């Protein structure tokens, strides 16, 4: 310990008890998933990917609601205007809503929210955001290759240590799309932020019941290090 302090400054290492580590978890609202993840989601970055209308935003809202019940401040970052009626039914009682004009503005807002003490932040969705250079580029010139991937990796790499240090959680939603000419759906991120995320989840709709109205069932798969889980 003394040698580490001389090389890296004071308190470079920190010991956390099992009981304390268990408290640093954010519930998802799904007891089976929380149990499979060891009591919830730890602070850091979690990616939730899936096709349209597969339950990504609903899961994020559930995480925000559970955090709100613990009196944690939450924030929702989205390029599109959020639906107040949907958020009232599925989300927390109170949250900060941010509508950035570009991807840079979204990540800048996330940095400021973490510094302000916000414990749960949701970015919905990262695949719908454009960097400043692409947003103001003429349509006939196309997009800058890999600009969003470089920006996302750079921003989240700097944001992850701040989240872990402050005990906050960032939920990044990523939409999976079917590309023309490909036989499988893929995300525009294509694994860019996989190494940064502590937990990655994928959602997909598997069944719809209509006896008592439209009810969607979501198949959820969570990846945490080498652990592969399927929760229904």
């Amino acid at each position: 310990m003394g040698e580490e302090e001389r090389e890296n400054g004071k308190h470079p290492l920190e010991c956390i008890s099992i009981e304390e580590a268990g408290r640093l978890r954010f519930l998802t609202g799904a007891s089976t998933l929380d149990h499979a993840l060891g009591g919830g989601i730890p602070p850091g970055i979690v990616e939730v990917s899936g096709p349209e209308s597969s339950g990504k935003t609903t899961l994020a809202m559930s995480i925000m609601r559970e955090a709100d019940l613990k009196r944690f401040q939450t924030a929702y970052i989205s390029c599109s205007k959020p639906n107040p009626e949907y958020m009232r039914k599925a989300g927390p009682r109170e949250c900060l809503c941010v509508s950035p004009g570009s991807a840079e503005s979204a990540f800048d807002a996330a940095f400021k929210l973490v510094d302000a003490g916000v414990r749960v932040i949701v970015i919905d969705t990262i695949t719908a955001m454009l960097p400043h250079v692409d947003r103001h580029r003429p349509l006939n010139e196309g997009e800058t290759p890999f600009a969003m991937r470089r920006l996302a990796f750079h921003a989240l790499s700097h944001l992850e240590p701040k989240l872990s240090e402050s005990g906050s959680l960032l939920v990044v939603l990523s939409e999976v799309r079917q590309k023309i000419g490909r036989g499988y759906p893929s995300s525009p991120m294509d694994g860019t932020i996989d190494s940064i995320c502590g937990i990655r989840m994928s959602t997909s709709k598997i069944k719809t019941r209509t006896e008592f109205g439209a009810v969607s069932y979501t198949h959820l798969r969570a990846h945490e290090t080498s652990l592969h889980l399927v929760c229904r």
Side-chain angles (χ1 to χ4, degrees):
M1 290 291 290
E3 183 177 352
E4 287 291 333
E5 288 187 3
R6 287 193 299 271
E7 293 182 357
N8 302 313
K10 191 175 182 180
H11 305 304
L13 302 177
E14 182 179 2
C15 296
I16 301 179
S17 64
I18 299 298
E19 292 77 14
E20 184 177 357
R23 290 195 295 267
L24 299 177
R25 294 269 174 169
F26 295 90
L27 300 179
T28 64
S31 58
T32 305
L33 178 60
D34 291 332
H35 177 73
L37 293 175
I41 303 174
I45 301 176
V46 56
E47 180 190 18
V48 181
S49 61
E52 184 181 3
S53 301
S54 61
K56 301 185 299 297
T57 302
T58 301
L59 177 61
M61 289 291 171
S62 180
I63 296 172
M64 293 173 66
R65 184 177 63 247
E66 293 294 330
D68 182 69
L69 293 176
K70 293 184 177 181
R71 305 297 182 185
F72 290 154
Q73 182 67 58
T74 61
Y76 181 74
I77 302 175
S78 175
C79 289
S80 59
K81 186 176 181 181
N83 187 339
E85 184 67 18
Y86 173 74
M87 295 190 69
R88 184 182 65 83
K89 292 181 179 180
R93 293 168 295 180
E94 293 182 357
C95 75
L96 300 173
C97 293
V98 182
S99 298
S102 63
E104 288 90 344
S105 300
F107 291 125
D108 184 58
F111 274 95
K112 293 179 179 178
L113 290 169
V114 173
D115 291 336
V118 177
R119 298 298 298 274
V120 176
I121 304 169
V122 174
I123 296 181
D124 185 13
T125 66
I126 192 172
T127 49
M129 296 179 178
L130 284 176
H132 182 80
V133 62
D134 285 338
R135 183 171 289 274
H136 296 83
R137 182 182 295 272
L139 293 177
N140 58 354
E141 293 187 12
E143 296 182 359
T144 304
F146 309 114
M148 185 60 198
R149 297 186 193 180
R150 290 195 299 266
L151 175 62
F153 184 83
H154 180 77
L156 295 179
S157 296
H158 286 77
L159 191 57
E160 198 279 333
K162 295 174 67 68
L163 292 165
S164 300
E165 182 180 353
S166 62
S168 301
L169 175 68
L170 175 65
V171 182
V172 179
L173 306 187
S174 176
E175 185 170 319
V176 174
R177 302 164 183 169
Q178 186 76 37
K179 290 187 176 181
I180 298 176
R182 286 193 180 184
Y184 57 92
S186 61
S187 169
M189 292 291 102
D190 278 338
T192 303
I193 60 175
D194 289 0
S195 61
I196 308 174
C197 300
I199 295 178
R200 295 166 49 232
M201 303 182 189
S202 60
T203 63
S204 60
K205 186 183 296 185
I206 58 173
K207 184 189 292 186
T208 301
R209 278 180 54 186
T210 57
E211 298 98 45
F212 305 102
V215 180
S216 298
Y217 289 79
T218 296
H219 176 97
L220 191 89
R221 186 184 300 273
H223 307 264
E224 183 175 16
T225 61
S226 60
L227 184 63
H228 297 273
L229 309 167
V230 178
C231 306
R232 298 191 180 186

